[in-house]
Amino acid sequence: MTSEDRSAIGRREFLIKSGVAVSAAATFLAGTNTVGAQQAGSTISLPQLPYAQDALAPTISANTISFHYGKHHQAYVNNTLKLIAGTELEKASLEDIIKKTAGKSDQVGLFNNAAQVFNHTFYWNSMTPGGGREPKGRMADMINESFGSYQKFAEAFSNAATTQFGSGWAWLVHDGSKLTVLKTGNADTPITMSLKPLITIDVWEHAYYLDYQNRRADYIKAFVEKLLNWTFAESNLA
Ligand code: FE
């Protein structure tokens, strides 16, 4: 670890502890906060979680996080690194890899793994211990302008997450003029659609089955009411 890495991690820990808004996706995707060895020449790595593994309990247990982050997210990182090794994308950024492989039939494996690295990093940051209260200020204004009320946003977001058939994600995004909700299947991600993601929820079964079994709607309700990180959402508007 370089002194620059240590400095970045220290700064981030300070910002988290002091409750200051962090543009976490930008920090993570730049690869400054990583766990384990980074593959030489690549910027892709497993980012540090923005909180302890038990920090979201009991809404999401440490057991779920340990498998979801430590096994699933890590596997997406490992697979991405294997698939880019020795190719022209070896040194590309995560976003470039995703955008350059999207929709290409001979790059499905790399797209799926790289997009899942992005989506999971975004998901960890979309949650915070003690989150879920209604947004304030600019975010509240935008929610009201786009959906009519916070309640209508919560219903639209929850409905998208509940009705995503099979594995996938629900998102709050900015489309350039207003906020909107969408759902994506499997690894699909709004950054290939010229949309700016603000918040996401993972509705793959691995995200909730250990804690909620088949009760996906209960997991979604708890996410919205207890974990949703509006500070992160607002940081993504910048
Ligand atoms: Fe997941």
Side-chain angles (χ1 to χ4, degrees), residues 153-214:
F153 151 76
E155 285 170 15
F157 184 82
S158 301
N159 188 50
T162 307
T163 60
Q164 167 55 35
F165 185 76
S167 298
W169 305 80
W171 304 81
L172 174 65
V173 300
H174 193 261
D175 69 5
S177 58
K178 67 179 190 315
L179 303 183
T180 188
V181 157
L182 83 153
K183 52 189 174 182
T184 59
N186 298 317
D188 284 349
T189 182
I191 63 170
T192 64
M193 308 169 194
S194 301
L195 296 168
K196 190 182 278 187
L198 306 185
I199 286 289
T200 193
I201 180 171
D202 187 342
V203 293
W204 285 60
E205 286 185 348
H206 65 223
Y208 60 88
Y209 224 82
L210 293 175
D211 297 326
Y212 297 86
Q213 293 77 52
N214 61 324

Side-chain angles (χ1 to χ4, degrees), residues 68 72 76 116 120 123 169 202 204 206-207:
H68 197 179
H72 292 272
Y76 295 129
Q116 285 293 76
H120 281 88
Y123 171 64
W169 305 80
D202 187 342
W204 285 60
H206 65 223

Side-chain angles (χ1 to χ4, degrees), residues 28-29 42-47 72-85 87 89-90 92-103 107-123 169 171 186-192 204:
F28 281 175
L29 294 171
S42 176
T43 62
I44 313 302
S45 56
L46 184 68
H72 292 272
H73 195 172
Q74 179 74 69
Y76 295 129
V77 170
N78 294 347
N79 291 337
T80 299
L81 288 170
K82 268 185 219 156
L83 290 166
I84 61 174
T87 76
L89 293 173
E90 187 165 33
S93 70
L94 185 61
E95 287 202 46
D96 276 349
I97 293 169
I98 293 166
K99 288 175 179 171
K100 285 177 178 170
T101 58
Q107 299 269 31
V108 172
L110 177 53
F111 171 81
N112 283 340
N113 281 283
Q116 285 293 76
V117 173
F118 176 91
N119 292 348
H120 281 88
T121 301
F122 211 86
Y123 171 64
W169 305 80
W171 304 81
N186 298 317
D188 284 349
T189 182
I191 63 170
T192 64
W204 285 60

